Amino acid sequence: MNTTAIHAHGALFGVYGSLALALMLFALREFTPESVWNEKMLKFSFWLLNIGLVVMLLFGPIPNGFYQLTQSIDYGTWYARGETVMGSQWMHWTVWTRVPRDVIFSIGALAMFILVVRAIIAIFRTPSLPSQEKPYPIEG
């Protein structure tokens, strides 16, 4: 799989992954006790995940796409998709720019993981309150 395809898969994961995280947090918030829910950690995670995704776009598919576009205009589409361009110094350099953006994204993901684990532990530790009414009232 070439570099551009890997970046495109990462961008799709970012979109669908964000939707999955939102749904998970929406459901988890309903069951998590107020004393355990950590808004600061959630905000920290939110910003790092999104900053990581933006940096991924700015230093991955966008510059690589423009590089391939210029090569395609100058030499043709087959050349731009060929090994000469895909294995060029530019493409190898943009692979190394993954390190800072992946670190930013990973710290956000770790914060989200810690938040979720703490919430799940708190849900199982908190006893459920018995309801005041019987489920099926008996008329007598």
Side-chain angles (χ1 to χ4, degrees), residues 25-74:
L25 290 171
F26 180 76
L28 196 60
R29 181 65 188 109
E30 183 65 31
F31 299 108
T32 305
E34 189 68 34
S35 61
V36 178
W37 192 254
N38 190 344
E39 287 290 327
K40 285 184 181 180
M41 186 176 285
L42 183 61
K43 287 178 185 178
F44 177 75
S45 174
F46 169 83
W47 282 110
L48 285 182
L49 288 172
N50 284 296
I51 289 170
L53 286 173
V54 168
V55 173
M56 282 180 196
L57 282 173
L58 293 177
F59 293 105
I62 292 174
N64 285 347
F66 281 119
Y67 176 66
Q68 281 186 307
L69 175 66
T70 60
Q71 296 301 312
S72 178
I73 290 169
D74 292 342

mmCIF file of all heavy atoms in Angstrom, residues 25-74:
data_model
loop_
_atom_site.group_PDB
_atom_site.id
_atom_site.type_symbol
_atom_site.label_atom_id
_atom_site.label_comp_id
_atom_site.label_asym_id
_atom_site.label_seq_id
_atom_site.Cartn_x
_atom_site.Cartn_y
_atom_site.Cartn_z
ATOM 1 N N LEU A 25 -19.015 8.193 24.175
ATOM 2 C CA LEU A 25 -19.045 9.159 25.281
ATOM 3 C C LEU A 25 -20.472 9.568 25.630
ATOM 4 O O LEU A 25 -20.795 9.766 26.803
ATOM 5 C CB LEU A 25 -18.215 10.386 24.933
ATOM 6 C CG LEU A 25 -16.712 10.160 24.884
ATOM 7 C CD1 LEU A 25 -16.012 11.383 24.324
ATOM 8 C CD2 LEU A 25 -16.178 9.792 26.256
ATOM 9 N N PHE A 26 -21.324 9.677 24.628
ATOM 10 C CA PHE A 26 -22.733 10.016 24.863
ATOM 11 C C PHE A 26 -23.385 8.953 25.741
ATOM 12 O O PHE A 26 -24.072 9.280 26.715
ATOM 13 C CB PHE A 26 -23.468 10.130 23.522
ATOM 14 C CG PHE A 26 -24.913 10.473 23.652
ATOM 15 C CD1 PHE A 26 -25.318 11.763 23.954
ATOM 16 C CD2 PHE A 26 -25.880 9.499 23.471
ATOM 17 C CE1 PHE A 26 -26.657 12.080 24.081
ATOM 18 C CE2 PHE A 26 -27.221 9.806 23.591
ATOM 19 C CZ PHE A 26 -27.611 11.097 23.895
ATOM 20 N N ALA A 27 -23.155 7.688 25.419
ATOM 21 C CA ALA A 27 -23.742 6.599 26.214
ATOM 22 C C ALA A 27 -23.059 6.481 27.574
ATOM 23 O O ALA A 27 -23.722 6.294 28.597
ATOM 24 C CB ALA A 27 -23.635 5.286 25.451
ATOM 25 N N LEU A 28 -21.747 6.600 27.593
ATOM 26 C CA LEU A 28 -20.997 6.437 28.838
ATOM 27 C C LEU A 28 -21.328 7.533 29.841
ATOM 28 O O LEU A 28 -21.415 7.273 31.049
ATOM 29 C CB LEU A 28 -19.501 6.442 28.529
ATOM 30 C CG LEU A 28 -18.548 5.931 29.589
ATOM 31 C CD1 LEU A 28 -18.871 4.483 29.928
ATOM 32 C CD2 LEU A 28 -17.125 6.054 29.099
ATOM 33 N N ARG A 29 -21.571 8.725 29.361
ATOM 34 C CA ARG A 29 -21.885 9.854 30.252
ATOM 35 C C ARG A 29 -23.173 9.628 31.026
ATOM 36 O O ARG A 29 -23.318 10.065 32.163
ATOM 37 C CB ARG A 29 -21.970 11.155 29.428
ATOM 38 C CG ARG A 29 -22.258 12.380 30.252
ATOM 39 C CD ARG A 29 -21.089 12.639 31.180
ATOM 40 N NE ARG A 29 -21.375 13.678 32.118
ATOM 41 C CZ ARG A 29 -21.582 13.476 33.423
ATOM 42 N NH1 ARG A 29 -21.529 12.280 33.936
ATOM 43 N NH2 ARG A 29 -21.824 14.504 34.217
ATOM 44 N N GLU A 30 -24.093 8.937 30.408
ATOM 45 C CA GLU A 30 -25.387 8.676 31.054
ATOM 46 C C GLU A 30 -25.243 7.768 32.278
ATOM 47 O O GLU A 30 -25.968 7.919 33.251
ATOM 48 C CB GLU A 30 -26.345 8.038 30.039
ATOM 49 C CG GLU A 30 -27.729 7.794 30.547
ATOM 50 C CD GLU A 30 -28.473 9.079 30.871
ATOM 51 O OE1 GLU A 30 -28.233 10.116 30.222
ATOM 52 O OE2 GLU A 30 -29.316 9.037 31.794
ATOM 53 N N PHE A 31 -24.310 6.847 32.234
ATOM 54 C CA PHE A 31 -24.181 5.847 33.300
ATOM 55 C C PHE A 31 -23.075 6.145 34.300
ATOM 56 O O PHE A 31 -23.029 5.535 35.355
ATOM 57 C CB PHE A 31 -23.926 4.459 32.687
ATOM 58 C CG PHE A 31 -25.034 3.993 31.806
ATOM 59 C CD1 PHE A 31 -24.867 3.950 30.441
ATOM 60 C CD2 PHE A 31 -26.255 3.625 32.340
ATOM 61 C CE1 PHE A 31 -25.893 3.540 29.618
ATOM 62 C CE2 PHE A 31 -27.286 3.205 31.534
ATOM 63 C CZ PHE A 31 -27.100 3.159 30.169
ATOM 64 N N THR A 32 -22.189 7.065 33.979
ATOM 65 C CA THR A 32 -21.046 7.343 34.843
ATOM 66 C C THR A 32 -21.448 8.286 35.973
ATOM 67 O O THR A 32 -22.090 9.306 35.736
ATOM 68 C CB THR A 32 -19.909 7.995 34.028
ATOM 69 O OG1 THR A 32 -19.600 7.146 32.940
ATOM 70 C CG2 THR A 32 -18.684 8.195 34.874
ATOM 71 N N PRO A 33 -21.069 7.951 37.222
ATOM 72 C CA PRO A 33 -21.354 8.847 38.339
ATOM 73 C C PRO A 33 -20.676 10.210 38.149
ATOM 74 O O PRO A 33 -19.583 10.299 37.588
ATOM 75 C CB PRO A 33 -20.764 8.119 39.551
ATOM 76 C CG PRO A 33 -20.609 6.700 39.134
ATOM 77 C CD PRO A 33 -20.422 6.709 37.660
ATOM 78 N N GLU A 34 -21.334 11.244 38.589
ATOM 79 C CA GLU A 34 -20.848 12.623 38.430
ATOM 80 C C GLU A 34 -19.477 12.814 39.067
ATOM 81 O O GLU A 34 -18.652 13.562 38.555
ATOM 82 C CB GLU A 34 -21.856 13.592 39.056
ATOM 83 C CG GLU A 34 -21.586 15.033 38.776
ATOM 84 C CD GLU A 34 -21.791 15.407 37.309
ATOM 85 O OE1 GLU A 34 -22.681 14.838 36.671
ATOM 86 O OE2 GLU A 34 -21.039 16.266 36.837
ATOM 87 N N SER A 35 -19.220 12.146 40.197
ATOM 88 C CA SER A 35 -17.952 12.331 40.909
ATOM 89 C C SER A 35 -16.752 11.804 40.125
ATOM 90 O O SER A 35 -15.625 12.234 40.356
ATOM 91 C CB SER A 35 -18.020 11.639 42.266
ATOM 92 O OG SER A 35 -18.235 10.244 42.092
ATOM 93 N N VAL A 36 -16.967 10.909 39.190
ATOM 94 C CA VAL A 36 -15.870 10.287 38.446
ATOM 95 C C VAL A 36 -15.655 10.949 37.087
ATOM 96 O O VAL A 36 -14.552 10.956 36.562
ATOM 97 C CB VAL A 36 -16.142 8.776 38.262
ATOM 98 C CG1 VAL A 36 -15.059 8.117 37.454
ATOM 99 C CG2 VAL A 36 -16.281 8.111 39.606
ATOM 100 N N TRP A 37 -16.707 11.525 36.517
ATOM 101 C CA TRP A 37 -16.608 12.115 35.185
ATOM 102 C C TRP A 37 -15.644 13.297 35.206
ATOM 103 O O TRP A 37 -15.818 14.233 35.976
ATOM 104 C CB TRP A 37 -17.984 12.551 34.714
ATOM 105 C CG TRP A 37 -18.004 12.895 33.265
ATOM 106 C CD1 TRP A 37 -18.068 14.133 32.726
ATOM 107 C CD2 TRP A 37 -17.952 11.981 32.177
ATOM 108 N NE1 TRP A 37 -18.060 14.055 31.357
ATOM 109 C CE2 TRP A 37 -17.991 12.738 30.988
ATOM 110 C CE3 TRP A 37 -17.877 10.596 32.072
ATOM 111 C CZ2 TRP A 37 -17.957 12.156 29.733
ATOM 112 C CZ3 TRP A 37 -17.848 10.021 30.819
ATOM 113 C CH2 TRP A 37 -17.888 10.806 29.670
ATOM 114 N N ASN A 38 -14.624 13.275 34.384
ATOM 115 C CA ASN A 38 -13.555 14.268 34.408
ATOM 116 C C ASN A 38 -13.605 15.125 33.138
ATOM 117 O O ASN A 38 -13.086 14.732 32.095
ATOM 118 C CB ASN A 38 -12.202 13.560 34.532
ATOM 119 C CG ASN A 38 -11.069 14.512 34.799
ATOM 120 O OD1 ASN A 38 -11.201 15.718 34.607
ATOM 121 N ND2 ASN A 38 -9.955 13.965 35.240
ATOM 122 N N GLU A 39 -14.215 16.286 33.230
ATOM 123 C CA GLU A 39 -14.352 17.180 32.071
ATOM 124 C C GLU A 39 -13.001 17.705 31.589
ATOM 125 O O GLU A 39 -12.794 17.878 30.395
ATOM 126 C CB GLU A 39 -15.260 18.364 32.407
ATOM 127 C CG GLU A 39 -16.722 18.015 32.500
ATOM 128 C CD GLU A 39 -17.349 17.681 31.151
ATOM 129 O OE1 GLU A 39 -16.937 18.271 30.128
ATOM 130 O OE2 GLU A 39 -18.234 16.826 31.115
ATOM 131 N N LYS A 40 -12.071 17.956 32.519
ATOM 132 C CA LYS A 40 -10.761 18.481 32.128
ATOM 133 C C LYS A 40 -10.003 17.468 31.271
ATOM 134 O O LYS A 40 -9.413 17.820 30.255
ATOM 135 C CB LYS A 40 -9.937 18.849 33.359
ATOM 136 C CG LYS A 40 -10.385 20.114 34.032
ATOM 137 C CD LYS A 40 -9.481 20.466 35.175
ATOM 138 C CE LYS A 40 -9.977 21.743 35.844
ATOM 139 N NZ LYS A 40 -9.122 22.121 36.967
ATOM 140 N N MET A 41 -10.032 16.207 31.679
ATOM 141 C CA MET A 41 -9.357 15.181 30.896
ATOM 142 C C MET A 41 -10.042 14.990 29.545
ATOM 143 O O MET A 41 -9.381 14.781 28.529
ATOM 144 C CB MET A 41 -9.302 13.850 31.643
ATOM 145 C CG MET A 41 -8.485 12.797 30.913
ATOM 146 S SD MET A 41 -8.304 11.265 31.807
ATOM 147 C CE MET A 41 -7.105 11.747 33.032
ATOM 148 N N LEU A 42 -11.362 15.102 29.520
ATOM 149 C CA LEU A 42 -12.102 14.974 28.275
ATOM 150 C C LEU A 42 -11.742 16.112 27.319
ATOM 151 O O LEU A 42 -11.515 15.881 26.128
ATOM 152 C CB LEU A 42 -13.604 14.961 28.559
ATOM 153 C CG LEU A 42 -14.509 14.752 27.361
ATOM 154 C CD1 LEU A 42 -14.243 13.416 26.703
ATOM 155 C CD2 LEU A 42 -15.962 14.838 27.790
ATOM 156 N N LYS A 43 -11.671 17.344 27.822
ATOM 157 C CA LYS A 43 -11.286 18.481 26.980
ATOM 158 C C LYS A 43 -9.850 18.328 26.480
ATOM 159 O O LYS A 43 -9.557 18.595 25.314
ATOM 160 C CB LYS A 43 -11.442 19.794 27.745
ATOM 161 C CG LYS A 43 -12.872 20.210 27.941
ATOM 162 C CD LYS A 43 -12.958 21.490 28.743
ATOM 163 C CE LYS A 43 -14.406 21.833 29.036
ATOM 164 N NZ LYS A 43 -14.534 23.037 29.859
ATOM 165 N N PHE A 44 -8.960 17.903 27.364
ATOM 166 C CA PHE A 44 -7.564 17.676 26.999
ATOM 167 C C PHE A 44 -7.473 16.654 25.873
ATOM 168 O O PHE A 44 -6.805 16.872 24.860
ATOM 169 C CB PHE A 44 -6.792 17.198 28.237
ATOM 170 C CG PHE A 44 -5.360 16.862 27.988
ATOM 171 C CD1 PHE A 44 -4.418 17.863 27.812
ATOM 172 C CD2 PHE A 44 -4.943 15.539 27.946
ATOM 173 C CE1 PHE A 44 -3.089 17.549 27.596
ATOM 174 C CE2 PHE A 44 -3.621 15.222 27.725
ATOM 175 C CZ PHE A 44 -2.688 16.228 27.551
ATOM 176 N N SER A 45 -8.175 15.550 26.036
ATOM 177 C CA SER A 45 -8.184 14.503 25.020
ATOM 178 C C SER A 45 -8.788 14.998 23.713
ATOM 179 O O SER A 45 -8.247 14.758 22.622
ATOM 180 C CB SER A 45 -8.962 13.295 25.531
ATOM 181 O OG SER A 45 -9.104 12.338 24.525
ATOM 182 N N PHE A 46 -9.906 15.715 23.798
ATOM 183 C CA PHE A 46 -10.578 16.248 22.613
ATOM 184 C C PHE A 46 -9.633 17.119 21.790
ATOM 185 O O PHE A 46 -9.491 16.944 20.581
ATOM 186 C CB PHE A 46 -11.815 17.048 23.039
ATOM 187 C CG PHE A 46 -12.423 17.860 21.931
ATOM 188 C CD1 PHE A 46 -13.289 17.274 21.024
ATOM 189 C CD2 PHE A 46 -12.135 19.211 21.793
ATOM 190 C CE1 PHE A 46 -13.855 18.011 20.002
ATOM 191 C CE2 PHE A 46 -12.692 19.968 20.777
ATOM 192 C CZ PHE A 46 -13.549 19.366 19.872
ATOM 193 N N TRP A 47 -8.966 18.059 22.459
ATOM 194 C CA TRP A 47 -8.105 18.980 21.731
ATOM 195 C C TRP A 47 -6.884 18.286 21.146
ATOM 196 O O TRP A 47 -6.476 18.563 20.017
ATOM 197 C CB TRP A 47 -7.705 20.160 22.617
ATOM 198 C CG TRP A 47 -8.826 21.138 22.724
ATOM 199 C CD1 TRP A 47 -9.585 21.395 23.829
ATOM 200 C CD2 TRP A 47 -9.352 21.949 21.675
ATOM 201 N NE1 TRP A 47 -10.550 22.324 23.518
ATOM 202 C CE2 TRP A 47 -10.429 22.682 22.194
ATOM 203 C CE3 TRP A 47 -9.018 22.124 20.339
ATOM 204 C CZ2 TRP A 47 -11.158 23.568 21.442
ATOM 205 C CZ3 TRP A 47 -9.753 23.009 19.580
ATOM 206 C CH2 TRP A 47 -10.805 23.726 20.126
ATOM 207 N N LEU A 48 -6.281 17.366 21.880
ATOM 208 C CA LEU A 48 -5.108 16.686 21.340
ATOM 209 C C LEU A 48 -5.477 15.778 20.166
ATOM 210 O O LEU A 48 -4.742 15.711 19.178
ATOM 211 C CB LEU A 48 -4.395 15.882 22.421
ATOM 212 C CG LEU A 48 -3.580 16.713 23.407
ATOM 213 C CD1 LEU A 48 -2.872 15.822 24.406
ATOM 214 C CD2 LEU A 48 -2.576 17.582 22.688
ATOM 215 N N LEU A 49 -6.598 15.072 20.259
ATOM 216 C CA LEU A 49 -7.030 14.235 19.139
ATOM 217 C C LEU A 49 -7.286 15.075 17.894
ATOM 218 O O LEU A 49 -6.855 14.722 16.789
ATOM 219 C CB LEU A 49 -8.292 13.444 19.509
ATOM 220 C CG LEU A 49 -8.113 12.293 20.496
ATOM 221 C CD1 LEU A 49 -9.470 11.736 20.912
ATOM 222 C CD2 LEU A 49 -7.257 11.204 19.900
ATOM 223 N N ASN A 50 -7.972 16.184 18.058
ATOM 224 C CA ASN A 50 -8.286 17.020 16.904
ATOM 225 C C ASN A 50 -7.069 17.758 16.356
ATOM 226 O O ASN A 50 -6.909 17.882 15.139
ATOM 227 C CB ASN A 50 -9.412 17.996 17.245
ATOM 228 C CG ASN A 50 -10.740 17.285 17.268
ATOM 229 O OD1 ASN A 50 -11.187 16.781 16.252
ATOM 230 N ND2 ASN A 50 -11.352 17.228 18.435
ATOM 231 N N ILE A 51 -6.195 18.234 17.233
ATOM 232 C CA ILE A 51 -4.959 18.865 16.763
ATOM 233 C C ILE A 51 -4.108 17.843 16.018
ATOM 234 O O ILE A 51 -3.540 18.138 14.961
ATOM 235 C CB ILE A 51 -4.186 19.503 17.940
ATOM 236 C CG1 ILE A 51 -4.932 20.740 18.441
ATOM 237 C CG2 ILE A 51 -2.758 19.855 17.534
ATOM 238 C CD1 ILE A 51 -4.402 21.299 19.744
ATOM 239 N N GLY A 52 -4.039 16.619 16.549
ATOM 240 C CA GLY A 52 -3.298 15.563 15.863
ATOM 241 C C GLY A 52 -3.855 15.275 14.483
ATOM 242 O O GLY A 52 -3.099 15.095 13.522
ATOM 243 N N LEU A 53 -5.184 15.232 14.347
ATOM 244 C CA LEU A 53 -5.792 14.996 13.036
ATOM 245 C C LEU A 53 -5.517 16.134 12.067
ATOM 246 O O LEU A 53 -5.227 15.909 10.884
ATOM 247 C CB LEU A 53 -7.295 14.776 13.187
ATOM 248 C CG LEU A 53 -7.722 13.438 13.772
ATOM 249 C CD1 LEU A 53 -9.225 13.422 14.017
ATOM 250 C CD2 LEU A 53 -7.318 12.305 12.868
ATOM 251 N N VAL A 54 -5.592 17.368 12.546
ATOM 252 C CA VAL A 54 -5.324 18.520 11.670
ATOM 253 C C VAL A 54 -3.867 18.514 11.212
ATOM 254 O O VAL A 54 -3.573 18.726 10.027
ATOM 255 C CB VAL A 54 -5.670 19.848 12.378
ATOM 256 C CG1 VAL A 54 -5.127 21.036 11.625
ATOM 257 C CG2 VAL A 54 -7.173 19.967 12.546
ATOM 258 N N VAL A 55 -2.958 18.248 12.135
ATOM 259 C CA VAL A 55 -1.540 18.202 11.779
ATOM 260 C C VAL A 55 -1.285 17.056 10.795
ATOM 261 O O VAL A 55 -0.482 17.183 9.869
ATOM 262 C CB VAL A 55 -0.656 18.096 13.042
ATOM 263 C CG1 VAL A 55 0.798 17.877 12.701
ATOM 264 C CG2 VAL A 55 -0.804 19.343 13.894
ATOM 265 N N MET A 56 -2.010 15.926 10.975
ATOM 266 C CA MET A 56 -1.874 14.820 10.029
ATOM 267 C C MET A 56 -2.253 15.257 8.617
ATOM 268 O O MET A 56 -1.579 14.920 7.650
ATOM 269 C CB MET A 56 -2.771 13.645 10.436
ATOM 270 C CG MET A 56 -2.236 12.812 11.541
ATOM 271 S SD MET A 56 -3.374 11.470 11.906
ATOM 272 C CE MET A 56 -2.762 10.967 13.492
ATOM 273 N N LEU A 57 -3.326 16.010 8.506
ATOM 274 C CA LEU A 57 -3.742 16.486 7.186
ATOM 275 C C LEU A 57 -2.766 17.492 6.608
ATOM 276 O O LEU A 57 -2.429 17.447 5.428
ATOM 277 C CB LEU A 57 -5.133 17.106 7.260
ATOM 278 C CG LEU A 57 -6.291 16.126 7.324
ATOM 279 C CD1 LEU A 57 -7.600 16.872 7.559
ATOM 280 C CD2 LEU A 57 -6.372 15.314 6.058
ATOM 281 N N LEU A 58 -2.310 18.422 7.432
ATOM 282 C CA LEU A 58 -1.437 19.484 6.940
ATOM 283 C C LEU A 58 -0.058 18.986 6.524
ATOM 284 O O LEU A 58 0.581 19.579 5.659
ATOM 285 C CB LEU A 58 -1.290 20.582 7.994
ATOM 286 C CG LEU A 58 -2.550 21.389 8.290
ATOM 287 C CD1 LEU A 58 -2.282 22.389 9.408
ATOM 288 C CD2 LEU A 58 -3.044 22.096 7.040
ATOM 289 N N PHE A 59 0.428 17.914 7.148
ATOM 290 C CA PHE A 59 1.766 17.421 6.833
ATOM 291 C C PHE A 59 1.756 16.066 6.148
ATOM 292 O O PHE A 59 2.793 15.450 6.012
ATOM 293 C CB PHE A 59 2.627 17.352 8.097
ATOM 294 C CG PHE A 59 2.932 18.691 8.654
ATOM 295 C CD1 PHE A 59 2.285 19.146 9.787
ATOM 296 C CD2 PHE A 59 3.859 19.518 8.037
ATOM 297 C CE1 PHE A 59 2.559 20.400 10.305
ATOM 298 C CE2 PHE A 59 4.139 20.768 8.558
ATOM 299 C CZ PHE A 59 3.492 21.214 9.694
ATOM 300 N N GLY A 60 0.596 15.579 5.724
ATOM 301 C CA GLY A 60 0.512 14.286 5.066
ATOM 302 C C GLY A 60 -0.129 14.356 3.706
ATOM 303 O O GLY A 60 0.520 14.661 2.707
ATOM 304 N N PRO A 61 -1.419 14.084 3.621
ATOM 305 C CA PRO A 61 -2.079 14.000 2.321
ATOM 306 C C PRO A 61 -2.095 15.304 1.534
ATOM 307 O O PRO A 61 -2.003 15.279 0.309
ATOM 308 C CB PRO A 61 -3.508 13.584 2.652
ATOM 309 C CG PRO A 61 -3.550 13.213 4.066
ATOM 310 C CD PRO A 61 -2.297 13.699 4.710
ATOM 311 N N ILE A 62 -2.181 16.435 2.193
ATOM 312 C CA ILE A 62 -2.263 17.703 1.450
ATOM 313 C C ILE A 62 -0.947 18.007 0.725
ATOM 314 O O ILE A 62 -0.949 18.190 -0.499
ATOM 315 C CB ILE A 62 -2.730 18.853 2.366
ATOM 316 C CG1 ILE A 62 -4.200 18.612 2.766
ATOM 317 C CG2 ILE A 62 -2.570 20.199 1.670
ATOM 318 C CD1 ILE A 62 -4.738 19.580 3.781
ATOM 319 N N PRO A 63 0.211 18.039 1.411
ATOM 320 C CA PRO A 63 1.443 18.302 0.650
ATOM 321 C C PRO A 63 1.790 17.184 -0.331
ATOM 322 O O PRO A 63 2.275 17.449 -1.427
ATOM 323 C CB PRO A 63 2.525 18.466 1.716
ATOM 324 C CG PRO A 63 1.945 18.038 2.983
ATOM 325 C CD PRO A 63 0.465 18.012 2.846
ATOM 326 N N ASN A 64 1.526 15.928 0.050
ATOM 327 C CA ASN A 64 1.803 14.827 -0.874
ATOM 328 C C ASN A 64 0.921 14.926 -2.110
ATOM 329 O O ASN A 64 1.373 14.649 -3.222
ATOM 330 C CB ASN A 64 1.596 13.479 -0.194
ATOM 331 C CG ASN A 64 2.712 13.137 0.760
ATOM 332 O OD1 ASN A 64 3.758 13.778 0.752
ATOM 333 N ND2 ASN A 64 2.492 12.144 1.591
ATOM 334 N N GLY A 65 -0.324 15.303 -1.917
ATOM 335 C CA GLY A 65 -1.237 15.455 -3.049
ATOM 336 C C GLY A 65 -0.800 16.564 -3.984
ATOM 337 O O GLY A 65 -0.840 16.408 -5.212
ATOM 338 N N PHE A 66 -0.363 17.690 -3.429
ATOM 339 C CA PHE A 66 0.121 18.779 -4.280
ATOM 340 C C PHE A 66 1.410 18.389 -4.994
ATOM 341 O O PHE A 66 1.623 18.742 -6.154
ATOM 342 C CB PHE A 66 0.327 20.065 -3.477
ATOM 343 C CG PHE A 66 -0.948 20.801 -3.220
ATOM 344 C CD1 PHE A 66 -1.391 21.019 -1.928
ATOM 345 C CD2 PHE A 66 -1.719 21.278 -4.271
ATOM 346 C CE1 PHE A 66 -2.582 21.692 -1.689
ATOM 347 C CE2 PHE A 66 -2.901 21.954 -4.043
ATOM 348 C CZ PHE A 66 -3.334 22.159 -2.749
ATOM 349 N N TYR A 67 2.271 17.653 -4.315
ATOM 350 C CA TYR A 67 3.497 17.170 -4.947
ATOM 351 C C TYR A 67 3.159 16.252 -6.123
ATOM 352 O O TYR A 67 3.705 16.393 -7.220
ATOM 353 C CB TYR A 67 4.374 16.460 -3.926
ATOM 354 C CG TYR A 67 5.623 15.856 -4.504
ATOM 355 C CD1 TYR A 67 6.624 16.658 -5.033
ATOM 356 C CD2 TYR A 67 5.805 14.479 -4.518
ATOM 357 C CE1 TYR A 67 7.780 16.105 -5.567
ATOM 358 C CE2 TYR A 67 6.957 13.924 -5.047
ATOM 359 C CZ TYR A 67 7.934 14.737 -5.572
ATOM 360 O OH TYR A 67 9.066 14.203 -6.109
ATOM 361 N N GLN A 68 2.252 15.313 -5.892
ATOM 362 C CA GLN A 68 1.844 14.426 -6.980
ATOM 363 C C GLN A 68 1.132 15.197 -8.094
ATOM 364 O O GLN A 68 1.286 14.863 -9.266
ATOM 365 C CB GLN A 68 0.935 13.313 -6.452
ATOM 366 C CG GLN A 68 1.690 12.212 -5.768
ATOM 367 C CD GLN A 68 0.781 11.070 -5.400
ATOM 368 O OE1 GLN A 68 -0.241 11.264 -4.754
ATOM 369 N NE2 GLN A 68 1.157 9.878 -5.805
ATOM 370 N N LEU A 69 0.365 16.215 -7.742
ATOM 371 C CA LEU A 69 -0.304 17.025 -8.758
ATOM 372 C C LEU A 69 0.713 17.719 -9.663
ATOM 373 O O LEU A 69 0.578 17.698 -10.889
ATOM 374 C CB LEU A 69 -1.220 18.060 -8.099
ATOM 375 C CG LEU A 69 -1.892 19.054 -9.042
ATOM 376 C CD1 LEU A 69 -2.890 18.332 -9.953
ATOM 377 C CD2 LEU A 69 -2.585 20.144 -8.252
ATOM 378 N N THR A 70 1.740 18.310 -9.065
ATOM 379 C CA THR A 70 2.748 18.987 -9.891
ATOM 380 C C THR A 70 3.490 17.986 -10.769
ATOM 381 O O THR A 70 3.766 18.282 -11.940
ATOM 382 C CB THR A 70 3.752 19.769 -9.027
ATOM 383 O OG1 THR A 70 4.415 18.871 -8.139
ATOM 384 C CG2 THR A 70 3.078 20.876 -8.252
ATOM 385 N N GLN A 71 3.789 16.796 -10.226
ATOM 386 C CA GLN A 71 4.461 15.765 -11.024
ATOM 387 C C GLN A 71 3.556 15.273 -12.154
ATOM 388 O O GLN A 71 4.015 15.016 -13.263
ATOM 389 C CB GLN A 71 4.894 14.598 -10.138
ATOM 390 C CG GLN A 71 5.922 14.958 -9.092
ATOM 391 C CD GLN A 71 7.189 15.524 -9.700
ATOM 392 O OE1 GLN A 71 7.754 14.969 -10.641
ATOM 393 N NE2 GLN A 71 7.641 16.652 -9.177
ATOM 394 N N SER A 72 2.267 15.178 -11.859
ATOM 395 C CA SER A 72 1.297 14.737 -12.865
ATOM 396 C C SER A 72 1.170 15.762 -13.989
ATOM 397 O O SER A 72 1.095 15.398 -15.167
ATOM 398 C CB SER A 72 -0.058 14.499 -12.205
ATOM 399 O OG SER A 72 -1.022 14.130 -13.155
ATOM 400 N N ILE A 73 1.151 17.031 -13.630
ATOM 401 C CA ILE A 73 1.058 18.091 -14.656
ATOM 402 C C ILE A 73 2.324 18.121 -15.511
ATOM 403 O O ILE A 73 2.255 18.250 -16.732
ATOM 404 C CB ILE A 73 0.797 19.458 -13.983
ATOM 405 C CG1 ILE A 73 -0.612 19.485 -13.405
ATOM 406 C CG2 ILE A 73 0.995 20.597 -14.980
ATOM 407 C CD1 ILE A 73 -0.889 20.670 -12.509
ATOM 408 N N ASP A 74 3.488 17.970 -14.859
ATOM 409 C CA ASP A 74 4.755 18.050 -15.587
ATOM 410 C C ASP A 74 5.044 16.797 -16.428
ATOM 411 O O ASP A 74 5.515 16.905 -17.557
ATOM 412 C CB ASP A 74 5.918 18.284 -14.623
ATOM 413 C CG ASP A 74 5.871 19.663 -13.988
ATOM 414 O OD1 ASP A 74 5.166 20.545 -14.530
ATOM 415 O OD2 ASP A 74 6.534 19.851 -12.948
#
